[in-house]
């Protein structure tokens, strides 16, 4: 399927048709009209069907009256951090579910949009507020893509563009594998949105079969692994998924991915006081990284209300990084952004929707 087919099918389904062909037939549309719709939405970032001036007026009116919205996500709350660098949106889907996406504007023209792949999440990581609320449903490719489109339109007003997209919002991208790959196609399409594969990062909790599958995609999308602890005992305490995919299996899958794709892997490591931040953990982490093109990203913890966990103090993060540095492991510490607007995964929705029971570790 081409990116345009993905978009048209998904949009047609949202509008109540079986697929793009049924939609085209209902409106007696020639194929080039479908192409015009697709380009207007994904390349020209037009806001509404009514504003797609290449389409005949009667067609625009017919589509508008039948409810063929170009947006499948509607902003409910949009907050901007005091420093203006982080904008967070809570978006409502057609069935009332809500997901979050965040725009980060870095130095220069670099911008990153963090998008969600599922409403909720099934994996229940102890430190993550999305996991604490449980899983609701998968997003469709267009619902995923439209989060990026929303911020692309917002940036365009200021003469800026999205330079990076990360699948680090709500949900587990590899638990919604096909839709995420279709969304990547939409983001990447040179005839549409046009974002290079190397500017896209998928972050996973560590689902081994999907890492294997991803190794064979033949695309240069970046892979990030949420490792968070270097032993099964410790990882199992904060990430239930470790019981199904223990560290040895995960690292073996990563090694195969790296060998096959020759691409660097990013390992995310949320620094939690007294849980995974001691010297022994740093040495064990360094041992797991040794001999590969692996990069560690240490993440200062964004405290979530229900988790009885605390973030590691800055000095300890630096000491931990020093051990990794000394062992020759490339390591960066992620700069927290948007803390004043609770911009970590799932935190905004947690304020508007009730949570399931608090977790304990
Ligand atoms: N399910 C995917 C992507 C979603 S979260 C994954 O697990 O990778 C993106 C990253 O944010 C993950 O590394 C996740 O562990 C981390 N994260 C979640 N909650 C956090 C919090 N409160 N503070 C800091 N990082 C958090």
């Amino acid at each position: 399927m081409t990116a345009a087919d993905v978009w048209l099918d998904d949009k047609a389904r949202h509008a109540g048709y079986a697929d793009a062909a049924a939609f085209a037939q209902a409106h007696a549309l020639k194929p080039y009209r479908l192409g015009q719709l697709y380009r207007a939405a994904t390349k020209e970032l037009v806001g509404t069907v009514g504003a797609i001036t290449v389409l005949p007026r009667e067609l625009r009116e017919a589509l508008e009256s039948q409810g063929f919205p170009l947006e499948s996500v509607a902003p409910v709350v949009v907050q901007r951090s005091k420093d203006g660098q982080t904008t967070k949106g809570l978006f409502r889907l057609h069935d009332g579910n809500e997901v979050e996406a965040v725009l980060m504007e870095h130095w220069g023209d670099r911008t990153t949009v963090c998008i969600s792949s599922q409403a909720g999440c099934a994996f229940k990581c102890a430190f993550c507020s999305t996991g604490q609320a449980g899983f609701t449903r998968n997003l469709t490719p267009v619902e995923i893509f439209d989060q990026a489109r929303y911020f692309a339109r917002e940036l365009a007003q200021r003469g800026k563009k999205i330079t990076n997209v990360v699948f680090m919002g709500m949900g587990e991208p590899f638990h919604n594998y096909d839709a995420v790959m279709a969304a990547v196609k939409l983001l990447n399409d040179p005839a549409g949105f046009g974002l290079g594969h190397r500017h896209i990062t998928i972050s996973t909790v560590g689902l081994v079969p999907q890492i294997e599958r991803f190794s064979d995609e033949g695309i240069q999308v970046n892979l990030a692994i949420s490792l968070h602890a270097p032993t099964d005992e410790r990882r199992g305490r904060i990430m239930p998924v470790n019981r199904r995919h223990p560290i040895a299996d995960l690292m073996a899958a990563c090694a195969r991915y790296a060998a096959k794709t020759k691409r660097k892997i990013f390992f995310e490591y949320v620094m939690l006081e007294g849980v995974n931040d001691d010297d022994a953990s740093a040495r064990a982490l360094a041992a797991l990284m040794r001999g590969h093109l692996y990069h560690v990203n240490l993440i200062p913890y964004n405290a979530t209300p229900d988790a009885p966990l605390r973030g590691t103090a800055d000095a300890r993060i630096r000491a931990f990084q020093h051990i990794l540095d000394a062992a020759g492991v490339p390591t960066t510490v992620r700069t927290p952004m948007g803390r004043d607007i609770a911009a970590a995964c799932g935190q905004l929705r947690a304020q508007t929707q009730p949570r399931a029971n608090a977790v304990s570790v």
Side-chain angles (χ1 to χ4, degrees):
M1 275 231 281
T2 67
D5 292 335
V6 169
W7 189 87
L8 287 160
D9 267 347
D10 215 358
K11 278 287 168 196
R13 267 186 231 114
H14 276 291
Y17 300 92
D19 54 20
F23 164 68
Q25 199 175 16
H27 293 277
L29 295 179
K30 300 234 167 64
Y32 79 95
R33 289 284 182 217
L34 296 177
Q36 287 175 325
L37 253 179
Y38 169 72
R39 257 190 317 280
T42 65
K43 189 179 171 78
E44 290 144 28
L45 305 175
V46 175
T48 60
V49 172
I52 308 178
T53 48
V54 288
L55 299 180
R57 195 162 48 85
E58 313 79 70
L59 176 59
R60 279 182 265 156
E61 282 168 6
L63 292 181
E64 287 208 305
S65 68
Q66 295 205 2
F68 190 87
L70 295 188
E71 310 278 10
S72 58
V73 299
V76 182
V77 182
V78 178
Q79 292 178 348
R80 200 143 198 207
S81 64
K82 286 197 200 79
D83 62 16
Q85 286 186 302
T86 307
T87 311
K88 172 144 196 173
L90 179 71
F91 297 94
R92 188 160 293 150
L93 311 176
H94 68 91
D95 60 359
N97 276 301
E98 291 173 350
V99 295
E100 297 175 15
V102 185
L103 165 68
M104 287 157 280
E105 297 177 61
H106 314 279
W107 44 267
D109 282 336
R110 197 180 136 87
T111 59
T112 303
V113 173
C114 175
I115 57 178
S116 295
S117 55
Q118 298 180 314
C121 183
F123 290 88
K124 303 201 179 310
C125 297
F127 46 83
C128 175
S129 74
T130 303
Q132 288 160 36
F135 175 72
T136 311
R137 73 163 169 90
N138 281 328
L139 301 196
T140 67
V142 165
E143 286 170 338
I144 298 170
F145 170 77
D146 277 350
Q147 298 165 55
R149 192 185 109 100
Y150 174 87
F151 284 117
R153 281 172 47 74
E154 150 116 13
L155 282 170
Q157 292 169 8
R158 283 180 271 139
K160 291 173 85 175
K161 284 183 165 178
I162 293 178
T163 63
N164 297 277
V165 166
V166 297
F167 284 82
M168 295 186 187
M170 301 169 82
E172 166 51 38
F174 280 176
H175 190 218
N176 186 15
Y177 190 92
D178 292 335
V180 164
M181 288 306 143
V184 165
K185 216 177 224 183
L186 286 174
L187 291 167
N188 178 247
D189 185 12
F193 199 74
L195 183 69
H197 276 149
R198 280 174 297 186
H199 297 270
I200 301 172
T201 300
I202 297 179
S203 176
T204 176
V205 78
L207 303 184
V208 167
Q210 286 88 330
I211 294 170
E212 305 279 3
R213 206 174 150 193
F214 188 61
S215 308
D216 292 326
E217 293 286 348
I219 53 176
Q220 294 192 303
V221 167
N222 301 300
L223 177 63
I225 305 284
S226 291
L227 189 60
H228 303 324
T231 64
D232 285 329
E233 190 270 319
R234 294 201 179 193
R235 191 165 188 263
R237 275 170 63 194
I238 50 175
M239 299 181 73
V241 71
N242 196 72
R243 286 195 280 275
R244 202 158 21 116
H245 302 297
I247 290 178
D249 296 357
L250 174 59
M251 296 311 293
C254 288
R256 284 192 294 273
Y257 167 89
K260 201 175 262 176
T261 64
K262 309 276 185 286
R263 294 191 63 72
K264 186 195 289 183
I265 302 180
F266 298 86
F267 287 86
E268 293 156 285
Y269 198 100
V270 175
M271 297 295 291
L272 299 168
E273 187 180 84
V275 176
N276 61 2
D277 63 350
D278 57 323
D279 289 357
S281 292
R283 286 193 292 270
L285 176 60
L288 287 178
M289 299 293 109
R290 197 160 294 141
H292 295 279
L293 193 60
Y294 293 166
H295 186 109
V296 172
N297 212 332
L298 299 177
I299 309 176
Y301 177 56
N302 282 302
T304 69
D306 292 335
L309 292 164
R310 283 167 44 152
T312 300
D314 288 350
R316 177 94 283 269
I317 295 181
R318 279 196 299 278
F320 195 94
Q321 181 181 24
H322 184 73
I323 293 172
L324 291 165
D325 276 344
V329 179
T331 307
T332 45
V333 180
R334 186 176 292 170
T335 315
M337 291 181 78
R339 278 199 161 156
D340 55 323
I341 54 168
C345 185
Q347 292 189 337
L348 191 56
R349 193 184 76 148
Q351 293 168 6
T352 65
Q353 295 198 346
R355 281 184 281 280
N357 293 335
V359 292
S360 56
V361 286

mmCIF file of all heavy atoms in Angstrom, residues 225 227 247-267 284-296 324 327-331:
data_model
loop_
_atom_site.group_PDB
_atom_site.id
_atom_site.type_symbol
_atom_site.label_atom_id
_atom_site.label_comp_id
_atom_site.label_asym_id
_atom_site.label_seq_id
_atom_site.Cartn_x
_atom_site.Cartn_y
_atom_site.Cartn_z
ATOM 1 N N ILE A 225 15.438 1.541 22.990
ATOM 2 C CA ILE A 225 14.969 0.472 23.870
ATOM 3 C C ILE A 225 14.873 1.025 25.290
ATOM 4 O O ILE A 225 15.841 1.580 25.814
ATOM 5 C CB ILE A 225 15.974 -0.710 23.889
ATOM 6 C CG1 ILE A 225 16.268 -1.221 22.472
ATOM 7 C CG2 ILE A 225 15.485 -1.820 24.820
ATOM 8 C CD1 ILE A 225 15.197 -2.051 21.842
ATOM 9 N N LEU A 227 15.340 0.309 28.606
ATOM 10 C CA LEU A 227 15.994 -0.751 29.381
ATOM 11 C C LEU A 227 15.750 -0.517 30.882
ATOM 12 O O LEU A 227 15.213 -1.370 31.568
ATOM 13 C CB LEU A 227 17.491 -0.785 29.042
ATOM 14 C CG LEU A 227 18.270 -1.965 29.613
ATOM 15 C CD1 LEU A 227 17.725 -3.296 29.110
ATOM 16 C CD2 LEU A 227 19.764 -1.834 29.287
ATOM 17 N N ILE A 247 16.261 -9.912 30.013
ATOM 18 C CA ILE A 247 17.328 -9.091 29.436
ATOM 19 C C ILE A 247 18.198 -9.855 28.427
ATOM 20 O O ILE A 247 18.547 -9.314 27.374
ATOM 21 C CB ILE A 247 18.187 -8.466 30.569
ATOM 22 C CG1 ILE A 247 17.337 -7.401 31.278
ATOM 23 C CG2 ILE A 247 19.470 -7.845 30.011
ATOM 24 C CD1 ILE A 247 18.019 -6.731 32.442
ATOM 25 N N ALA A 248 18.520 -11.110 28.721
ATOM 26 C CA ALA A 248 19.386 -11.857 27.790
ATOM 27 C C ALA A 248 18.729 -11.958 26.409
ATOM 28 O O ALA A 248 19.383 -11.769 25.376
ATOM 29 C CB ALA A 248 19.694 -13.247 28.349
ATOM 30 N N ASP A 249 17.428 -12.253 26.383
ATOM 31 C CA ASP A 249 16.711 -12.365 25.098
ATOM 32 C C ASP A 249 16.655 -11.009 24.400
ATOM 33 O O ASP A 249 16.821 -10.904 23.177
ATOM 34 C CB ASP A 249 15.266 -12.840 25.316
ATOM 35 C CG ASP A 249 15.211 -14.239 25.898
ATOM 36 O OD1 ASP A 249 16.291 -14.848 26.081
ATOM 37 O OD2 ASP A 249 14.092 -14.714 26.189
ATOM 38 N N LEU A 250 16.388 -9.969 25.201
ATOM 39 C CA LEU A 250 16.293 -8.620 24.643
ATOM 40 C C LEU A 250 17.630 -8.193 24.027
ATOM 41 O O LEU A 250 17.675 -7.700 22.894
ATOM 42 C CB LEU A 250 15.863 -7.650 25.756
ATOM 43 C CG LEU A 250 15.836 -6.164 25.414
ATOM 44 C CD1 LEU A 250 14.890 -5.893 24.243
ATOM 45 C CD2 LEU A 250 15.404 -5.344 26.636
ATOM 46 N N MET A 251 18.719 -8.422 24.771
ATOM 47 C CA MET A 251 20.027 -7.987 24.274
ATOM 48 C C MET A 251 20.434 -8.807 23.044
ATOM 49 O O MET A 251 21.088 -8.288 22.137
ATOM 50 C CB MET A 251 21.087 -8.071 25.371
ATOM 51 C CG MET A 251 20.853 -7.137 26.559
ATOM 52 S SD MET A 251 20.487 -5.407 26.152
ATOM 53 C CE MET A 251 22.042 -4.881 25.434
ATOM 54 N N ALA A 252 20.026 -10.072 23.015
ATOM 55 C CA ALA A 252 20.338 -10.903 21.835
ATOM 56 C C ALA A 252 19.598 -10.366 20.608
ATOM 57 O O ALA A 252 20.158 -10.287 19.502
ATOM 58 C CB ALA A 252 19.968 -12.360 22.103
ATOM 59 N N ALA A 253 18.338 -9.971 20.801
ATOM 60 C CA ALA A 253 17.561 -9.415 19.682
ATOM 61 C C ALA A 253 18.185 -8.097 19.217
ATOM 62 O O ALA A 253 18.252 -7.809 18.014
ATOM 63 C CB ALA A 253 16.105 -9.197 20.101
ATOM 64 N N CYS A 254 18.658 -7.295 20.178
ATOM 65 C CA CYS A 254 19.297 -6.020 19.826
ATOM 66 C C CYS A 254 20.578 -6.276 19.028
ATOM 67 O O CYS A 254 20.853 -5.582 18.039
ATOM 68 C CB CYS A 254 19.612 -5.209 21.084
ATOM 69 S SG CYS A 254 18.137 -4.537 21.869
ATOM 70 N N ALA A 255 21.342 -7.244 19.461
ATOM 71 C CA ALA A 255 22.597 -7.554 18.754
ATOM 72 C C ALA A 255 22.304 -7.998 17.325
ATOM 73 O O ALA A 255 23.006 -7.609 16.384
ATOM 74 C CB ALA A 255 23.372 -8.627 19.513
ATOM 75 N N ARG A 256 21.250 -8.794 17.159
ATOM 76 C CA ARG A 256 20.899 -9.224 15.798
ATOM 77 C C ARG A 256 20.445 -8.033 14.954
ATOM 78 O O ARG A 256 20.804 -7.911 13.785
ATOM 79 C CB ARG A 256 19.796 -10.306 15.838
ATOM 80 C CG ARG A 256 20.321 -11.679 16.246
ATOM 81 C CD ARG A 256 19.273 -12.758 15.991
ATOM 82 N NE ARG A 256 18.091 -12.608 16.841
ATOM 83 C CZ ARG A 256 17.989 -13.123 18.071
ATOM 84 N NH1 ARG A 256 18.974 -13.829 18.588
ATOM 85 N NH2 ARG A 256 16.891 -12.946 18.766
ATOM 86 N N TYR A 257 19.643 -7.161 15.558
ATOM 87 C CA TYR A 257 19.199 -5.949 14.847
ATOM 88 C C TYR A 257 20.415 -5.127 14.412
ATOM 89 O O TYR A 257 20.511 -4.681 13.265
ATOM 90 C CB TYR A 257 18.284 -5.114 15.758
ATOM 91 C CG TYR A 257 18.029 -3.705 15.251
ATOM 92 C CD1 TYR A 257 16.968 -3.430 14.393
ATOM 93 C CD2 TYR A 257 18.873 -2.651 15.616
ATOM 94 C CE1 TYR A 257 16.749 -2.144 13.917
ATOM 95 C CE2 TYR A 257 18.657 -1.360 15.140
ATOM 96 C CZ TYR A 257 17.598 -1.117 14.297
ATOM 97 O OH TYR A 257 17.395 0.154 13.825
ATOM 98 N N ALA A 258 21.349 -4.932 15.353
ATOM 99 C CA ALA A 258 22.522 -4.097 15.059
ATOM 100 C C ALA A 258 23.368 -4.723 13.955
ATOM 101 O O ALA A 258 23.842 -4.024 13.051
ATOM 102 C CB ALA A 258 23.341 -3.889 16.326
ATOM 103 N N ALA A 259 23.533 -6.047 14.022
ATOM 104 C CA ALA A 259 24.349 -6.735 13.014
ATOM 105 C C ALA A 259 23.685 -6.637 11.644
ATOM 106 O O ALA A 259 24.346 -6.404 10.631
ATOM 107 C CB ALA A 259 24.547 -8.195 13.414
ATOM 108 N N LYS A 260 22.369 -6.782 11.626
ATOM 109 C CA LYS A 260 21.651 -6.781 10.353
ATOM 110 C C LYS A 260 21.561 -5.393 9.737
ATOM 111 O O LYS A 260 21.723 -5.214 8.535
ATOM 112 C CB LYS A 260 20.247 -7.345 10.581
ATOM 113 C CG LYS A 260 19.594 -7.867 9.331
ATOM 114 C CD LYS A 260 18.265 -8.528 9.641
ATOM 115 C CE LYS A 260 18.367 -10.030 9.740
ATOM 116 N NZ LYS A 260 17.105 -10.678 10.130
ATOM 117 N N THR A 261 21.295 -4.385 10.565
ATOM 118 C CA THR A 261 21.022 -3.052 10.024
ATOM 119 C C THR A 261 22.232 -2.125 10.068
ATOM 120 O O THR A 261 22.212 -1.067 9.444
ATOM 121 C CB THR A 261 19.898 -2.351 10.833
ATOM 122 O OG1 THR A 261 20.375 -2.160 12.178
ATOM 123 C CG2 THR A 261 18.629 -3.182 10.861
ATOM 124 N N LYS A 262 23.245 -2.495 10.848
ATOM 125 C CA LYS A 262 24.432 -1.630 11.056
ATOM 126 C C LYS A 262 24.034 -0.289 11.663
ATOM 127 O O LYS A 262 24.718 0.714 11.501
ATOM 128 C CB LYS A 262 25.180 -1.365 9.732
ATOM 129 C CG LYS A 262 25.503 -2.610 8.924
ATOM 130 C CD LYS A 262 26.789 -3.263 9.416
ATOM 131 C CE LYS A 262 27.218 -4.437 8.568
ATOM 132 N NZ LYS A 262 26.383 -5.639 8.778
ATOM 133 N N ARG A 263 22.899 -0.265 12.332
ATOM 134 C CA ARG A 263 22.447 0.997 12.920
ATOM 135 C C ARG A 263 22.678 1.015 14.430
ATOM 136 O O ARG A 263 22.631 -0.006 15.098
ATOM 137 C CB ARG A 263 20.957 1.232 12.618
ATOM 138 C CG ARG A 263 20.707 1.451 11.128
ATOM 139 C CD ARG A 263 19.304 1.939 10.855
ATOM 140 N NE ARG A 263 19.039 3.237 11.449
ATOM 141 C CZ ARG A 263 19.542 4.377 11.008
ATOM 142 N NH1 ARG A 263 20.325 4.394 9.952
ATOM 143 N NH2 ARG A 263 19.235 5.516 11.607
ATOM 144 N N LYS A 264 22.924 2.222 14.919
ATOM 145 C CA LYS A 264 23.106 2.427 16.353
ATOM 146 C C LYS A 264 21.778 2.186 17.076
ATOM 147 O O LYS A 264 20.716 2.494 16.533
ATOM 148 C CB LYS A 264 23.553 3.879 16.557
ATOM 149 C CG LYS A 264 23.924 4.237 17.962
ATOM 150 C CD LYS A 264 23.986 5.741 18.130
ATOM 151 C CE LYS A 264 25.183 6.360 17.428
ATOM 152 N NZ LYS A 264 25.266 7.813 17.666
ATOM 153 N N ILE A 265 21.843 1.682 18.298
ATOM 154 C CA ILE A 265 20.626 1.563 19.111
ATOM 155 C C ILE A 265 20.757 2.496 20.312
ATOM 156 O O ILE A 265 21.834 2.619 20.902
ATOM 157 C CB ILE A 265 20.400 0.115 19.607
ATOM 158 C CG1 ILE A 265 20.321 -0.860 18.431
ATOM 159 C CG2 ILE A 265 19.124 0.031 20.452
ATOM 160 C CD1 ILE A 265 20.090 -2.315 18.851
ATOM 161 N N PHE A 266 19.652 3.138 20.653
ATOM 162 C CA PHE A 266 19.615 4.021 21.825
ATOM 163 C C PHE A 266 18.953 3.268 22.975
ATOM 164 O O PHE A 266 17.883 2.673 22.793
ATOM 165 C CB PHE A 266 18.813 5.293 21.502
ATOM 166 C CG PHE A 266 19.441 6.086 20.391
ATOM 167 C CD1 PHE A 266 19.148 5.804 19.055
ATOM 168 C CD2 PHE A 266 20.350 7.092 20.671
ATOM 169 C CE1 PHE A 266 19.750 6.510 18.019
ATOM 170 C CE2 PHE A 266 20.949 7.813 19.642
ATOM 171 C CZ PHE A 266 20.657 7.517 18.310
ATOM 172 N N PHE A 267 19.586 3.289 24.130
ATOM 173 C CA PHE A 267 19.008 2.654 25.312
ATOM 174 C C PHE A 267 18.583 3.733 26.296
ATOM 175 O O PHE A 267 19.393 4.571 26.702
ATOM 176 C CB PHE A 267 20.009 1.699 25.959
ATOM 177 C CG PHE A 267 20.199 0.431 25.156
ATOM 178 C CD1 PHE A 267 21.119 0.387 24.125
ATOM 179 C CD2 PHE A 267 19.417 -0.685 25.401
ATOM 180 C CE1 PHE A 267 21.271 -0.760 23.353
ATOM 181 C CE2 PHE A 267 19.557 -1.837 24.639
ATOM 182 C CZ PHE A 267 20.488 -1.875 23.614
ATOM 183 N N ALA A 284 27.127 -2.800 35.559
ATOM 184 C CA ALA A 284 26.395 -3.871 34.870
ATOM 185 C C ALA A 284 25.827 -3.358 33.537
ATOM 186 O O ALA A 284 25.827 -4.074 32.528
ATOM 187 C CB ALA A 284 25.272 -4.395 35.762
ATOM 188 N N LEU A 285 25.374 -2.117 33.538
ATOM 189 C CA LEU A 285 24.859 -1.521 32.299
ATOM 190 C C LEU A 285 25.992 -1.388 31.284
ATOM 191 O O LEU A 285 25.818 -1.736 30.102
ATOM 192 C CB LEU A 285 24.239 -0.151 32.605
ATOM 193 C CG LEU A 285 23.728 0.660 31.415
ATOM 194 C CD1 LEU A 285 22.633 -0.103 30.652
ATOM 195 C CD2 LEU A 285 23.181 2.021 31.889
ATOM 196 N N ALA A 286 27.139 -0.922 31.736
ATOM 197 C CA ALA A 286 28.290 -0.780 30.832
ATOM 198 C C ALA A 286 28.654 -2.133 30.213
ATOM 199 O O ALA A 286 28.954 -2.224 29.015
ATOM 200 C CB ALA A 286 29.483 -0.197 31.584
ATOM 201 N N ALA A 287 28.565 -3.187 31.027
ATOM 202 C CA ALA A 287 28.911 -4.527 30.516
ATOM 203 C C ALA A 287 27.926 -4.951 29.421
ATOM 204 O O ALA A 287 28.324 -5.556 28.418
ATOM 205 C CB ALA A 287 28.918 -5.538 31.655
ATOM 206 N N LEU A 288 26.653 -4.597 29.583
ATOM 207 C CA LEU A 288 25.656 -4.948 28.551
ATOM 208 C C LEU A 288 25.917 -4.182 27.251
ATOM 209 O O LEU A 288 25.604 -4.659 26.162
ATOM 210 C CB LEU A 288 24.244 -4.610 29.039
ATOM 211 C CG LEU A 288 23.611 -5.477 30.116
ATOM 212 C CD1 LEU A 288 22.230 -4.926 30.471
ATOM 213 C CD2 LEU A 288 23.488 -6.927 29.660
ATOM 214 N N MET A 289 26.457 -2.972 27.374
ATOM 215 C CA MET A 289 26.648 -2.105 26.200
ATOM 216 C C MET A 289 27.949 -2.415 25.457
ATOM 217 O O MET A 289 28.095 -2.059 24.291
ATOM 218 C CB MET A 289 26.682 -0.620 26.636
ATOM 219 C CG MET A 289 25.415 -0.109 27.319
ATOM 220 S SD MET A 289 23.992 -0.065 26.200
ATOM 221 C CE MET A 289 23.006 -1.403 26.848
ATOM 222 N N ARG A 290 28.874 -3.043 26.144
ATOM 223 C CA ARG A 290 30.234 -3.196 25.613
ATOM 224 C C ARG A 290 30.259 -3.901 24.257
ATOM 225 O O ARG A 290 29.529 -4.863 24.035
ATOM 226 C CB ARG A 290 31.083 -3.986 26.616
ATOM 227 C CG ARG A 290 32.574 -3.867 26.379
ATOM 228 C CD ARG A 290 33.353 -4.239 27.645
ATOM 229 N NE ARG A 290 33.120 -3.292 28.742
ATOM 230 C CZ ARG A 290 32.990 -3.655 30.025
ATOM 231 N NH1 ARG A 290 33.051 -4.913 30.386
ATOM 232 N NH2 ARG A 290 32.800 -2.721 30.948
ATOM 233 N N GLY A 291 31.097 -3.380 23.374
ATOM 234 C CA GLY A 291 31.344 -4.067 22.100
ATOM 235 C C GLY A 291 30.302 -3.801 21.027
ATOM 236 O O GLY A 291 30.326 -4.417 19.972
ATOM 237 N N HIS A 292 29.362 -2.913 21.295
ATOM 238 C CA HIS A 292 28.320 -2.628 20.301
ATOM 239 C C HIS A 292 28.238 -1.134 20.021
ATOM 240 O O HIS A 292 28.751 -0.322 20.789
ATOM 241 C CB HIS A 292 26.955 -3.095 20.800
ATOM 242 C CG HIS A 292 26.838 -4.564 20.973
ATOM 243 N ND1 HIS A 292 26.593 -5.409 19.921
ATOM 244 C CD2 HIS A 292 26.949 -5.344 22.071
ATOM 245 C CE1 HIS A 292 26.547 -6.646 20.362
ATOM 246 N NE2 HIS A 292 26.769 -6.640 21.665
ATOM 247 N N LEU A 293 27.533 -0.802 18.950
ATOM 248 C CA LEU A 293 27.284 0.596 18.623
ATOM 249 C C LEU A 293 26.021 1.037 19.387
ATOM 250 O O LEU A 293 24.972 1.261 18.799
ATOM 251 C CB LEU A 293 27.079 0.696 17.108
ATOM 252 C CG LEU A 293 27.092 2.071 16.459
ATOM 253 C CD1 LEU A 293 28.416 2.771 16.701
ATOM 254 C CD2 LEU A 293 26.838 1.930 14.956
ATOM 255 N N TYR A 294 26.135 1.088 20.701
ATOM 256 C CA TYR A 294 24.987 1.401 21.547
ATOM 257 C C TYR A 294 25.212 2.743 22.244
ATOM 258 O O TYR A 294 26.330 3.082 22.606
ATOM 259 C CB TYR A 294 24.787 0.329 22.622
ATOM 260 C CG TYR A 294 24.367 -1.029 22.100
ATOM 261 C CD1 TYR A 294 24.427 -2.150 22.931
ATOM 262 C CD2 TYR A 294 23.896 -1.219 20.797
ATOM 263 C CE1 TYR A 294 24.042 -3.405 22.487
ATOM 264 C CE2 TYR A 294 23.507 -2.464 20.342
ATOM 265 C CZ TYR A 294 23.583 -3.565 21.194
ATOM 266 O OH TYR A 294 23.206 -4.804 20.762
ATOM 267 N N HIS A 295 24.122 3.456 22.427
ATOM 268 C CA HIS A 295 24.183 4.772 23.064
ATOM 269 C C HIS A 295 23.208 4.787 24.246
ATOM 270 O O HIS A 295 22.052 4.402 24.092
ATOM 271 C CB HIS A 295 23.803 5.854 22.049
ATOM 272 C CG HIS A 295 23.969 7.241 22.563
ATOM 273 N ND1 HIS A 295 24.960 8.083 22.120
ATOM 274 C CD2 HIS A 295 23.278 7.939 23.498
ATOM 275 C CE1 HIS A 295 24.873 9.238 22.757
ATOM 276 N NE2 HIS A 295 23.865 9.176 23.600
ATOM 277 N N VAL A 296 23.657 5.241 25.400
ATOM 278 C CA VAL A 296 22.777 5.289 26.574
ATOM 279 C C VAL A 296 22.255 6.710 26.779
ATOM 280 O O VAL A 296 23.005 7.676 26.722
ATOM 281 C CB VAL A 296 23.512 4.822 27.852
ATOM 282 C CG1 VAL A 296 22.640 5.057 29.088
ATOM 283 C CG2 VAL A 296 23.885 3.348 27.747
ATOM 284 N N LEU A 324 29.919 5.108 33.174
ATOM 285 C CA LEU A 324 29.678 4.675 31.789
ATOM 286 C C LEU A 324 30.725 5.282 30.849
ATOM 287 O O LEU A 324 31.272 4.588 29.981
ATOM 288 C CB LEU A 324 28.263 5.076 31.344
ATOM 289 C CG LEU A 324 27.121 4.323 32.038
ATOM 290 C CD1 LEU A 324 25.800 5.026 31.805
ATOM 291 C CD2 LEU A 324 27.034 2.884 31.535
ATOM 292 N N ALA A 327 33.955 3.576 31.040
ATOM 293 C CA ALA A 327 33.912 2.261 30.393
ATOM 294 C C ALA A 327 33.781 2.397 28.872
ATOM 295 O O ALA A 327 33.643 1.399 28.157
ATOM 296 C CB ALA A 327 32.747 1.446 30.954
ATOM 297 N N GLY A 328 33.797 3.638 28.381
ATOM 298 C CA GLY A 328 33.765 3.856 26.932
ATOM 299 C C GLY A 328 32.374 3.772 26.314
ATOM 300 O O GLY A 328 32.236 3.601 25.105
ATOM 301 N N VAL A 329 31.327 3.908 27.141
ATOM 302 C CA VAL A 329 29.962 3.839 26.605
ATOM 303 C C VAL A 329 29.452 5.264 26.342
ATOM 304 O O VAL A 329 29.375 6.068 27.276
ATOM 305 C CB VAL A 329 29.008 3.146 27.619
ATOM 306 C CG1 VAL A 329 27.587 3.100 27.075
ATOM 307 C CG2 VAL A 329 29.510 1.751 27.961
ATOM 308 N N PRO A 330 29.109 5.571 25.095
ATOM 309 C CA PRO A 330 28.581 6.915 24.803
ATOM 310 C C PRO A 330 27.276 7.146 25.568
ATOM 311 O O PRO A 330 26.353 6.335 25.474
ATOM 312 C CB PRO A 330 28.311 6.892 23.296
ATOM 313 C CG PRO A 330 28.976 5.671 22.776
ATOM 314 C CD PRO A 330 29.130 4.710 23.914
ATOM 315 N N THR A 331 27.249 8.217 26.322
ATOM 316 C CA THR A 331 26.104 8.451 27.218
ATOM 317 C C THR A 331 25.711 9.919 27.197
ATOM 318 O O THR A 331 26.577 10.789 27.272
ATOM 319 C CB THR A 331 26.485 8.081 28.674
ATOM 320 O OG1 THR A 331 27.002 6.760 28.692
ATOM 321 C CG2 THR A 331 25.285 8.167 29.595
#
